[in-house]
Structures are given as C-alpha cells and as structure tokens.
Amino acid sequence: MNRIQLIINGATYNVPAGTTLLGACRMHKIEVPTLCFEPSLRSWGACRLCVVEVEGRRSLAASCGTEAAPGMVVLTDSPRVREARKTLLELLVANHDIDCLTCEKMGRCELARYAYEYGVKKDVFQGEKRRCEIDDTNPFITRDMNKCILCGRCVRACADIQAQHVLHYAGRGFESRVTPAFDLPYGESDCVFCGSCLSVCPVGALTEKKMAGRGRPWEITKVRTTCPFCGTGCGFDLNVKNGRVIGVTSAANAPVNGRSLCVKGRFGTDLIHSPQRLTRPLIRRDGVLQEAEWHEAFDLIAARLKAIRDGHGPDALAALSSARCTNEENFLMQKFVRVVLGTNNVDHCARVCHAASVIGLRTPFGSGAMTNSIREIPSTKTMLVIGANPTEAHPVIGSKMKQAAQNGCRIIVADPRRIELVRYAELWLRLKPGTDTALINGIMHVILAEGWEDRRFIEERTSGFANLREVVREYTPEYVSAITDVPAADVRRAAEIYARGGGPAQIFYTLGIAEHTCGTDNVMALANLAMLTGNVGKENSGVNPLRGQNNVQGGCDMGALPDCFPGYQKVTDLEIRRKFEKSWGISLSPQEGLMLPQMLDACVAGQVKGMYIMGEDPLSTDADSSHVRAALTALDFLVVQDIFLTETAKLADVVLPGASFAEKSGTFTNTERRVQMVRQAIEPLSGKADWRIICELAGWMGYDFSYASPAEVMTEIAALTPQYTGISHSRLGTKGLQWPVPAVDHYGTPILHRGRFTRGRGLFMPVEYREAAELPDAEYPLMLTTGRKLAHYNISTAYSPALMEHDPEEFAEISPEDARRLRISDGEIARVTTRRGTVRTKVRVTERVRPGIIFMTFHYKAVPVNVLTNGAWDKVSGTYEYKVCAARLEKIRG
C-alpha cells in the first residue's frame, strides 16, 4: 500500500494514500471534534465541526471529506479553527432545546461535550426556535426533533446499515427536519425498529423509551455479551443498574453486526425480568405444581430417574438439550445423559430445524456447517437465497444482503412468498412449497446443457459427477416448470445468473429447504449445485445455512445428538468411544440413541418412561402437538428445566427454574461457526445457572461433575472436540473464533474447504424430486406453510412486553383471490383446520402469498399453530415437514 507524509500540528506523520485528514488525525490520536461523522457510515460533511486549517488554502477544510496529500501542512487547533468551531456550536445551541438536566443523553451528549470544551454557555444568537411535537407513537423510540442538530447520522444509518431508507430530510432552511415520508410518526412509517438511528444519534433527539428515567451513564455498568435470539450471533452491551438489566446498547466493534441490531435484540431483552419468570423449583403434588426447595427437587429427580434406569434399563430414559443454552451446558447435558443415565437418547431442537443441514452438508463436504462468513455478504456479486426470509428471521444478515444489492449484487430469490428481499432481487422464482429439489435439479440441468460447469474444479476436487449428470438429465426447464410453477425461462435465467453472474456465487437457505420430508435431499441438491460451479472454498461463495436459534450450531457441535459425541464423532466408532470412556472414566453405550420424533413415538409405545427436557418446549414448537402431548403425558416421569412455565413445563412432574443468558457465563456458536462469549451480567433469578443445576443433579445421582466454572468445562470440550482444540474463554475476547481452531495458536477458519474438502474430495449426491407427505385435496384444498415474523422469535418473545405491544397477534395470510372465493375480508376471524386440529385466527389478505397458500407463524400461545402441522418427518434427518400440509380455512360468522 502506498503511503504519504504530511505535517499535522508541527509533527510529521505517515498515512496510507487515500486517507482523509480526519482519518489521519484519528490514526495518530489527534483529537478533532465531529458531530455528523460516524466511522460505520459514509462521510457526510454536514456539521463542519471537524474543520482544520490547511496551509495554502483560503478556507477551512472539512477534515472528514478532505483527502490527505503529500507534504500537506495541517493545523487542527489554531485560534482560527477554534473560533470557527465555537461559532458553529453557538448556531446549533441557538436552535436546540436546552433541557440538559432531564435529557436522557446527559453524560453522553456529544453536543454538550463540545459546548463545554469550546466554552459555549448560552444562546448567543437569539430568535425563533423549533417547536415540534414529540413522537412517541411506538413502544421503543422517543423522537424529539427539538433536539435534532440535522447531522444526518440517522438518515445514513437507516440507508447504509439497515438499507431501509425510511428517514430523509424535508423542508428548507429553518424548517429543515429529518422525518419519515409524509412526516409520518415512526409508528406509522415503514420503520422496522432496528434502532440503528438510536445507536448513532449524538444528542437527545432519539432516545429509548423503556430506558427513560432508569439510569444515568455513570450509574450503568455495560456487559458485553451475545444475543440470545436467532443464529446470527450479534454482540451487544447489556446495561445493568442495581442488579437489573435495563436495556441494550450497540457495540460498534461487535464482529458480526457492528452497530446493527434488530427489534428483538435491541428491545426484546425485557423478558429477562418478566413477572412470569420461574424462580423456585416446582413439584407436582396431588396433581398440582407447587413450589419446593432445591434439595427436594433434586432428591425426587434422582430417585425417579434411578428407578427407571435400574428397573427398565438406561434406554427407557431420554433427554432434550437446548439451542437456547450455552455450549458448556449442552456439553454437560449430553455428558449427563451418556454418563449418568447410560444412554445415547439425547437430542435437541436442531432435529426439527437444521438436522437436514448437518447431514446434508456433512455427507458431500465432510462438515455440516455454514461454509463462509457473514462479513462477506455486502461484497458478494451473486447470491441465491432459497427457502429463507432473512430480513425477518435473520434481520442483521438480511440487512447485509440489502447492502449487497445496493452494491450491485445480482440476487435470485426462490420463495413461495413475496418476501421483502424480492424487492432487491433481479429474479424471483415463486415456486410451489415442497418443490425445491426439482427446481435445483433444473438449474443444474441448464448449467450442464450450456457447458457452464467448472470442469477443472469437478475433476480436481470432487467425485460422483457422472451420477449427478445422469439424474439431472430429465429435469428440463419445461419438466421443472410443470412441477414448480416457475416459468421455464426463469429456470434458465436463474442458471445463467448463478453460473455466470460475474464472480463467485453464494447460496443461503434456511428452514424452507430443511423442514420437509425431503429436507436432506434439498440440502444435498444445493451442495451439488455449488460444487458443479466451483463455488466452494473461496470468498463470496459456498453453501450457507442460516441457523435458526442462537446456539443451535453449538448444540450440534457439543454432541446433543443421539448418534454423535461432541465434534460429530460417532458413538458407534470404537476408537472414538474409547477416547471418551478414558476421559470420563466409564463404559459408554455403543448404540445410537433415538432422534426426537422417535423418542416421542417410544413414549407413546411405553418404551421411554422418563424424560429430562432443558430449555425446550416441544409441546409448542414440534409438529402435530397433539401427538407430542400424548407422548409426554404417557411418561412415568417428566422433568423440565426452563425460565418460564411453558406449555411443556405445565405437564412436568418437576420443574427446575433455569437462568437466562444474562445470568450466566459461557459461549454460543453462531451460524458462521463463530464461538463467542456470553458474559454474566446479573445473578441468576433462581439462584442457579443451568450448568450448575446439571452438575448438582449429577452429584445427587452419585457422579462427580465438579467443575469450578464454565471456563473449566470449555477446557474439557477443547480436549475432546477437534474443532474446538484451540478455543478457551481467555482467547475469545470480544471477537470470538470461527471453528475449526485446531491449535492454541490458530486464529480460526473464516472459510471452510479451501484447497480440499473436510472429507477429502467433495461427493456429488444426486437426488430425485419427491412430493410432500401431504398435499391439498377436496376436503383440505389449501396448503398451510409456516415460518417466522420480524418482531418475534419462536415462543420466547411472547414474554417480552415491548415486543408483544408492538406485534401482539397472529394472522393467517391468504391471497386476495382466496379471500374473494372464501368471502372473507382482512381482519375477520377464521377457522384453520387440518387433519390434526383446528385454530381460530384473524385473517390478513395480502399479495405476499400465492393463491392456494395459507401462511402462519408459531409465535403465539393463543393460536398454537403446531396443532395443525404435519408430524411426518425426514427419515434421514428426523426433521418435521412444517412447510407443507393440507388445510382449509372457513370464515367464522356471528
């Protein structure tokens, strides 16, 4: 990189060519005040507070927009510069509401800081002041334009970070203001309440409503941690006062998200102190759950689990670990099941979401995880987003995809619904739900027919290509169109964009691919497509499953699976088993355990008699919840460990109160394999973190789980898990490490399969299209498909007062065509029925869905959608088919 030399305040400095004067000053710790500048945003040059004196120039230069030149002589604090800055500050103060004593920004207001530094004490310029109404029409942000200094940070944050473009300048001169379109209040605008504007505002114009009056900056302790919601793994600071979490603020140096957060991460953590939190154990006595002491609960659990194990054999017991819990807790739970209970019957919610990804990528690639890194997304040239709705399910990743579109990325969206990303896509493939395999095979057919495959990559790095070519031969665009409803011309165009889009291409998918009876086939088809075009093992390429829950990747890594020890090491492998037996000092079962759907079937059959469920609510989240209820009520003994009395917990014999993410330390592993710290900010409300509960229960059952801390558990994980060998709490800091980390001096692996696949050669796994297990018919003429919405995450956000105020109820989305045929209007009440059950819900008539489709979420207790969904499951991965089942919708009259 070329470097230049310049003189600043009499000293000579070297800086990279192209650096601005402001950048040069900050690089060498020379203070220059700014109000409109923010490092994560493009330079604006609006406030002029950063002016400096440059020798030979008549006017002062805005340092944020002036490029350093060789030999330049600069003064940053001359009398002329200071006088100009003071005048600018006086002008700002002249039209600013000076209520500093009660302003929420007191102590961190940048205008107040500079006014103090430059001696601005009163209104020098007298005249009319703005008189704007305060906008508090939403649950999250108070907007006081009387304090706005028109710096434009919020405008750029909305455009540059969130790519939402809600905020703009309006008016001229004295009437200039920042506002949503048509001067609408925030609550009526297209704002998604990510809070990016809030995070960059330098004054009190934008403040968080829920934190108002709850603490001054010097009273608050900030604790850096990792978000407990989706798998993106955003970092943020918990704001703590008097032992309570009072809010969240952005961490500009967070490795995944920077300042960016979503409405859930920024405003949904009020669930930590929900009045519905469990704080004491509960024991069922005379049919009623009653509060008990910890020793009573442990004593009863130990006695009942021992009795079942000793009387019916270890395999009469089963456990569910949790993607909501830390790596350390998942490790301890699977160890508890294998060592204390003596069975491999352990699973977790990955089974019902991305188990198809683990198997579907591990088979062809050797590793069942996201191949590339989130940071690559904004610079990606070509992108296929299939079966995913990132702007709602993974909002920070979705915003990076929108940034990519603004940077010229060619995006293909394959989704039955008109998701937000369609607005940014060059091509939208509106396929029928459940026809993904046919579509992907059709794209590969065109690539092969046109000769667009990467022959060198295929020859040097893969095997099984001839089999793939033979299978996709019949998937002509016309044949695929008849299956998918995607026009043949669009199949051809998709193949051309993906294979010839001007650079490497990335594939992103989520549960629209995985949650099918053919989910593993869908994932393998995507792996085939990536290998066919050489889009694996390099930047801006790869196959990237966006994991749904905060630590579902880590739960799999830690061996909360019935067939694998930590690190995906097979329980049937003798040498692997001996390694764990040596470490744990006990003989381990050589038999693979039951997957979650098999566990439930075994409960109904009377084969599994006792279960221990930590941090999962299968009665709300698993398909065909009537079957789940029948399974759980058939048990002789059920233990549930959770922070709320969930629907599953209501059936338990013993309920143990767990700890939220804010009440314990440990690690989460996000969707890009980044292992990051979770740091304890407050004491556990129940008195015990989940890891300690497991250890104490093991002790009550006669086994020594005497770990001093989660850090000590991670030491054992590193010793037994090849991907985590070089990981320790002390190494993770605030950035984390992406596995594999094979040694203590290794700095992680942002991109998998560089040079070679984990398994050696990549293996093409050709798959044929198979219909969904249940399709519409005369009795059930519609197709129900389910997913997430922006403001909620699974079922836990139902305990967030702010999020429930913002988005309080479920809707069944149907098309205008179906609404007319069924004679139902937007907002009316309908009955949705499938072969398994019925729910009542409001209807939303929208062009987002195809005719013949009902779309619903599963976030609301009042509308338990999984009463409806199909319990058929992928026989390879065990994943339920949430995305397709036959249904009917009827208007409820009167």
Side-chain angles (χ1 to χ4, degrees), residues 121-158:
K121 297 183 179 180
K122 61 181 179 178
D123 292 0
V124 175
F125 300 100
Q126 299 295 320
E128 185 180 355
K129 287 195 174 188
R130 282 175 300 204
R131 292 291 180 265
C132 303
E133 289 189 17
I134 294 175
D135 175 9
D136 60 355
T137 57
N138 66 87
F140 308 121
I141 299 172
T142 299
R143 187 165 153 264
D144 184 355
M145 291 296 97
N146 299 302
K147 297 177 182 176
C148 178
I149 59 173
L150 299 175
C151 66
R153 285 192 192 178
C154 60
V155 176
R156 284 171 288 146
C158 193

Short mmCIF file of all heavy atoms in Angstrom, two decimals, residues 121-158:
data_model
loop_
_atom_site.label_atom_id
_atom_site.label_comp_id
_atom_site.label_asym_id
_atom_site.label_seq_id
_atom_site.Cartn_x
_atom_site.Cartn_y
_atom_site.Cartn_z
N LYS A 121 -21.79 28.81 26.41
CA LYS A 121 -22.54 28.78 27.66
C LYS A 121 -23.98 29.24 27.54
O LYS A 121 -24.79 28.99 28.41
CB LYS A 121 -21.83 29.63 28.72
CG LYS A 121 -20.44 29.12 29.06
CD LYS A 121 -19.80 29.95 30.16
CE LYS A 121 -18.41 29.41 30.51
NZ LYS A 121 -17.77 30.22 31.58
N LYS A 122 -24.33 29.94 26.49
CA LYS A 122 -25.69 30.48 26.40
C LYS A 122 -26.04 30.74 24.94
O LYS A 122 -25.21 30.58 24.04
CB LYS A 122 -25.80 31.78 27.20
CG LYS A 122 -24.86 32.89 26.70
CD LYS A 122 -25.00 34.14 27.56
CE LYS A 122 -24.05 35.23 27.06
NZ LYS A 122 -24.21 36.46 27.85
N ASP A 123 -27.30 31.12 24.72
CA ASP A 123 -27.76 31.42 23.38
C ASP A 123 -27.18 32.76 22.93
O ASP A 123 -27.65 33.83 23.32
CB ASP A 123 -29.29 31.51 23.34
CG ASP A 123 -29.94 30.16 23.56
OD1 ASP A 123 -29.20 29.19 23.74
OD2 ASP A 123 -31.17 30.09 23.55
N VAL A 124 -26.14 32.72 22.10
CA VAL A 124 -25.57 33.94 21.55
C VAL A 124 -26.48 34.51 20.47
O VAL A 124 -26.66 35.72 20.34
CB VAL A 124 -24.17 33.66 20.98
CG1 VAL A 124 -23.60 34.89 20.28
CG2 VAL A 124 -23.23 33.19 22.09
N PHE A 125 -27.06 33.62 19.68
CA PHE A 125 -27.94 34.03 18.58
C PHE A 125 -29.39 33.87 19.03
O PHE A 125 -29.86 32.76 19.23
CB PHE A 125 -27.67 33.18 17.33
CG PHE A 125 -26.26 33.29 16.83
CD1 PHE A 125 -25.33 32.31 17.12
CD2 PHE A 125 -25.86 34.40 16.09
CE1 PHE A 125 -24.03 32.41 16.67
CE2 PHE A 125 -24.56 34.50 15.64
CZ PHE A 125 -23.63 33.51 15.92
N GLN A 126 -30.07 34.97 19.23
CA GLN A 126 -31.45 34.95 19.69
C GLN A 126 -32.40 34.88 18.49
O GLN A 126 -32.11 35.38 17.41
CB GLN A 126 -31.75 36.21 20.52
CG GLN A 126 -30.89 36.33 21.77
CD GLN A 126 -31.16 35.23 22.77
OE1 GLN A 126 -32.31 34.84 22.97
NE2 GLN A 126 -30.10 34.73 23.40
N GLY A 127 -33.57 34.28 18.69
CA GLY A 127 -34.56 34.20 17.63
C GLY A 127 -35.52 33.04 17.87
O GLY A 127 -35.49 32.38 18.91
N GLU A 128 -36.35 32.81 16.88
CA GLU A 128 -37.34 31.76 16.99
C GLU A 128 -36.66 30.39 17.08
O GLU A 128 -35.63 30.14 16.47
CB GLU A 128 -38.27 31.80 15.76
CG GLU A 128 -39.41 30.82 15.82
CD GLU A 128 -40.30 30.87 14.58
OE1 GLU A 128 -40.06 31.76 13.73
OE2 GLU A 128 -41.20 30.03 14.48
N LYS A 129 -37.28 29.50 17.86
CA LYS A 129 -36.80 28.12 17.96
C LYS A 129 -37.88 27.17 17.46
O LYS A 129 -39.06 27.49 17.45
CB LYS A 129 -36.47 27.76 19.42
CG LYS A 129 -35.20 28.42 19.94
CD LYS A 129 -34.76 27.75 21.23
CE LYS A 129 -33.41 28.30 21.69
NZ LYS A 129 -32.86 27.54 22.83
N ARG A 130 -37.42 26.00 17.05
CA ARG A 130 -38.37 24.98 16.60
C ARG A 130 -39.29 24.59 17.74
O ARG A 130 -38.88 24.51 18.89
CB ARG A 130 -37.63 23.74 16.11
CG ARG A 130 -37.04 23.88 14.73
CD ARG A 130 -36.23 22.66 14.39
NE ARG A 130 -35.12 22.47 15.35
CZ ARG A 130 -34.01 21.79 15.08
NH1 ARG A 130 -33.87 21.21 13.90
NH2 ARG A 130 -33.07 21.67 15.97
N ARG A 131 -40.53 24.27 17.36
CA ARG A 131 -41.49 23.76 18.33
C ARG A 131 -42.17 22.54 17.71
O ARG A 131 -43.24 22.63 17.13
CB ARG A 131 -42.52 24.84 18.69
CG ARG A 131 -41.96 26.02 19.48
CD ARG A 131 -41.57 25.59 20.91
NE ARG A 131 -41.02 26.72 21.68
CZ ARG A 131 -39.74 26.97 21.80
NH1 ARG A 131 -38.86 26.20 21.18
NH2 ARG A 131 -39.32 27.99 22.51
N CYS A 132 -41.50 21.41 17.83
CA CYS A 132 -42.01 20.18 17.22
C CYS A 132 -42.68 19.31 18.27
O CYS A 132 -42.24 19.25 19.42
CB CYS A 132 -40.87 19.39 16.58
SG CYS A 132 -39.93 20.31 15.34
N GLU A 133 -43.74 18.63 17.88
CA GLU A 133 -44.36 17.68 18.78
C GLU A 133 -43.46 16.46 18.96
O GLU A 133 -42.83 16.00 18.00
CB GLU A 133 -45.72 17.22 18.22
CG GLU A 133 -46.78 18.29 18.29
CD GLU A 133 -48.16 17.74 17.93
OE1 GLU A 133 -48.31 16.50 17.94
OE2 GLU A 133 -49.05 18.54 17.63
N ILE A 134 -43.43 15.94 20.17
CA ILE A 134 -42.63 14.75 20.44
C ILE A 134 -43.37 13.52 19.92
O ILE A 134 -44.57 13.36 20.16
CB ILE A 134 -42.34 14.61 21.95
CG1 ILE A 134 -41.44 15.78 22.39
CG2 ILE A 134 -41.69 13.27 22.27
CD1 ILE A 134 -41.19 15.82 23.89
N ASP A 135 -42.65 12.68 19.18
CA ASP A 135 -43.23 11.46 18.60
C ASP A 135 -42.92 10.28 19.51
O ASP A 135 -41.78 9.83 19.60
CB ASP A 135 -42.64 11.24 17.20
CG ASP A 135 -43.08 9.93 16.56
OD1 ASP A 135 -43.99 9.27 17.12
OD2 ASP A 135 -42.53 9.57 15.51
N ASP A 136 -43.95 9.77 20.18
CA ASP A 136 -43.77 8.56 21.00
C ASP A 136 -44.87 7.55 20.64
O ASP A 136 -45.43 6.88 21.52
CB ASP A 136 -43.78 8.89 22.49
CG ASP A 136 -45.08 9.54 22.94
OD1 ASP A 136 -45.95 9.81 22.08
OD2 ASP A 136 -45.25 9.76 24.16
N THR A 137 -45.14 7.44 19.36
CA THR A 137 -46.25 6.61 18.87
C THR A 137 -45.88 5.15 18.71
O THR A 137 -46.58 4.40 18.03
CB THR A 137 -46.75 7.14 17.52
OG1 THR A 137 -45.64 7.16 16.59
CG2 THR A 137 -47.30 8.55 17.65
N ASN A 138 -44.79 4.72 19.28
CA ASN A 138 -44.36 3.34 19.18
C ASN A 138 -43.82 2.91 20.53
O ASN A 138 -43.54 3.75 21.39
CB ASN A 138 -43.29 3.19 18.09
CG ASN A 138 -42.02 3.93 18.45
OD1 ASN A 138 -41.14 3.39 19.13
ND2 ASN A 138 -41.90 5.19 18.03
N PRO A 139 -43.64 1.61 20.74
CA PRO A 139 -43.19 1.16 22.08
C PRO A 139 -41.71 1.35 22.36
O PRO A 139 -41.28 1.10 23.49
CB PRO A 139 -43.50 -0.35 22.06
CG PRO A 139 -44.33 -0.60 20.86
CD PRO A 139 -44.00 0.48 19.89
N PHE A 140 -40.93 1.80 21.38
CA PHE A 140 -39.48 1.67 21.51
C PHE A 140 -38.70 2.99 21.56
O PHE A 140 -37.79 3.13 22.37
CB PHE A 140 -38.94 0.86 20.33
CG PHE A 140 -39.62 -0.45 20.12
CD1 PHE A 140 -40.25 -0.74 18.92
CD2 PHE A 140 -39.65 -1.41 21.13
CE1 PHE A 140 -40.89 -1.94 18.72
CE2 PHE A 140 -40.29 -2.62 20.94
CZ PHE A 140 -40.92 -2.89 19.73
N ILE A 141 -39.02 3.94 20.69
CA ILE A 141 -38.17 5.12 20.50
C ILE A 141 -38.98 6.39 20.69
O ILE A 141 -40.07 6.53 20.14
CB ILE A 141 -37.55 5.12 19.08
CG1 ILE A 141 -36.66 3.89 18.88
CG2 ILE A 141 -36.74 6.39 18.83
CD1 ILE A 141 -36.17 3.71 17.45
N THR A 142 -38.42 7.30 21.48
CA THR A 142 -38.98 8.65 21.59
C THR A 142 -38.19 9.57 20.67
O THR A 142 -36.95 9.59 20.72
CB THR A 142 -38.91 9.16 23.03
OG1 THR A 142 -39.68 8.30 23.87
CG2 THR A 142 -39.44 10.58 23.13
N ARG A 143 -38.92 10.32 19.85
CA ARG A 143 -38.28 11.16 18.83
C ARG A 143 -38.63 12.63 19.11
O ARG A 143 -39.77 13.04 18.99
CB ARG A 143 -38.80 10.72 17.46
CG ARG A 143 -38.15 11.34 16.27
CD ARG A 143 -38.50 10.53 15.02
NE ARG A 143 -38.47 11.34 13.83
CZ ARG A 143 -39.52 11.92 13.28
NH1 ARG A 143 -40.71 11.76 13.84
NH2 ARG A 143 -39.41 12.65 12.21
N ASP A 144 -37.61 13.38 19.52
CA ASP A 144 -37.79 14.79 19.88
C ASP A 144 -36.97 15.64 18.92
O ASP A 144 -35.78 15.87 19.13
CB ASP A 144 -37.35 15.01 21.33
CG ASP A 144 -37.60 16.44 21.81
OD1 ASP A 144 -38.03 17.28 20.99
OD2 ASP A 144 -37.36 16.71 23.01
N MET A 145 -37.64 16.13 17.88
CA MET A 145 -36.92 16.89 16.85
C MET A 145 -36.52 18.29 17.32
O MET A 145 -35.77 18.98 16.62
CB MET A 145 -37.78 16.99 15.58
CG MET A 145 -37.94 15.66 14.86
SD MET A 145 -36.36 15.00 14.21
CE MET A 145 -35.89 13.86 15.51
N ASN A 146 -36.96 18.70 18.50
CA ASN A 146 -36.50 19.97 19.06
C ASN A 146 -35.03 19.89 19.45
O ASN A 146 -34.38 20.92 19.63
CB ASN A 146 -37.33 20.34 20.29
CG ASN A 146 -38.79 20.50 19.95
OD1 ASN A 146 -39.15 21.32 19.11
ND2 ASN A 146 -39.64 19.70 20.59
N LYS A 147 -34.51 18.67 19.57
CA LYS A 147 -33.10 18.48 19.93
C LYS A 147 -32.25 18.03 18.75
O LYS A 147 -31.05 17.82 18.91
CB LYS A 147 -33.00 17.46 21.06
CG LYS A 147 -33.69 17.91 22.34
CD LYS A 147 -33.64 16.84 23.42
CE LYS A 147 -34.37 17.29 24.67
NZ LYS A 147 -34.40 16.24 25.70
N CYS A 148 -32.87 17.87 17.60
CA CYS A 148 -32.13 17.39 16.42
C CYS A 148 -31.18 18.46 15.92
O CYS A 148 -31.53 19.64 15.82
CB CYS A 148 -33.13 17.00 15.33
SG CYS A 148 -32.36 16.45 13.80
N ILE A 149 -29.96 18.07 15.57
CA ILE A 149 -28.96 19.01 15.04
C ILE A 149 -28.72 18.79 13.55
O ILE A 149 -27.77 19.33 12.98
CB ILE A 149 -27.64 18.90 15.82
CG1 ILE A 149 -27.07 17.49 15.73
CG2 ILE A 149 -27.83 19.34 17.27
CD1 ILE A 149 -25.68 17.35 16.33
N LEU A 150 -29.56 17.96 12.90
CA LEU A 150 -29.51 17.73 11.45
C LEU A 150 -28.16 17.19 11.00
O LEU A 150 -27.67 17.50 9.91
CB LEU A 150 -29.83 19.02 10.69
CG LEU A 150 -31.23 19.61 10.94
CD1 LEU A 150 -31.38 20.94 10.23
CD2 LEU A 150 -32.31 18.64 10.50
N CYS A 151 -27.56 16.34 11.84
CA CYS A 151 -26.25 15.79 11.49
C CYS A 151 -26.34 14.73 10.39
O CYS A 151 -25.36 14.41 9.73
CB CYS A 151 -25.57 15.21 12.73
SG CYS A 151 -26.41 13.76 13.41
N GLY A 152 -27.54 14.13 10.25
CA GLY A 152 -27.74 13.14 9.21
C GLY A 152 -27.28 11.73 9.56
O GLY A 152 -27.38 10.84 8.73
N ARG A 153 -26.80 11.52 10.77
CA ARG A 153 -26.35 10.16 11.12
C ARG A 153 -27.50 9.17 11.01
O ARG A 153 -27.34 8.06 10.50
CB ARG A 153 -25.80 10.14 12.55
CG ARG A 153 -24.43 10.74 12.72
CD ARG A 153 -23.93 10.37 14.11
NE ARG A 153 -22.75 11.10 14.51
CZ ARG A 153 -22.16 10.96 15.70
NH1 ARG A 153 -22.67 10.12 16.59
NH2 ARG A 153 -21.08 11.65 16.01
N CYS A 154 -28.68 9.53 11.52
CA CYS A 154 -29.80 8.61 11.49
C CYS A 154 -30.24 8.30 10.07
O CYS A 154 -30.61 7.16 9.74
CB CYS A 154 -30.97 9.16 12.30
SG CYS A 154 -31.60 10.75 11.72
N VAL A 155 -30.18 9.31 9.20
CA VAL A 155 -30.55 9.11 7.80
C VAL A 155 -29.62 8.10 7.15
O VAL A 155 -30.04 7.16 6.46
CB VAL A 155 -30.50 10.45 7.02
CG1 VAL A 155 -30.79 10.23 5.54
CG2 VAL A 155 -31.48 11.44 7.62
N ARG A 156 -28.32 8.27 7.41
CA ARG A 156 -27.34 7.35 6.81
C ARG A 156 -27.38 5.97 7.44
O ARG A 156 -27.19 4.96 6.76
CB ARG A 156 -25.94 7.96 6.92
CG ARG A 156 -25.70 9.09 5.92
CD ARG A 156 -24.40 9.83 6.21
NE ARG A 156 -24.50 10.63 7.39
CZ ARG A 156 -23.51 10.87 8.26
NH1 ARG A 156 -22.33 10.28 8.07
NH2 ARG A 156 -23.69 11.65 9.30
N ALA A 157 -27.63 5.92 8.75
CA ALA A 157 -27.74 4.60 9.40
C ALA A 157 -28.89 3.81 8.81
O ALA A 157 -28.78 2.61 8.54
CB ALA A 157 -27.91 4.76 10.90
N CYS A 158 -30.02 4.48 8.59
CA CYS A 158 -31.18 3.82 8.01
C CYS A 158 -30.89 3.35 6.59
O CYS A 158 -31.35 2.28 6.17
CB CYS A 158 -32.37 4.79 8.01
SG CYS A 158 -33.95 4.01 7.66
#
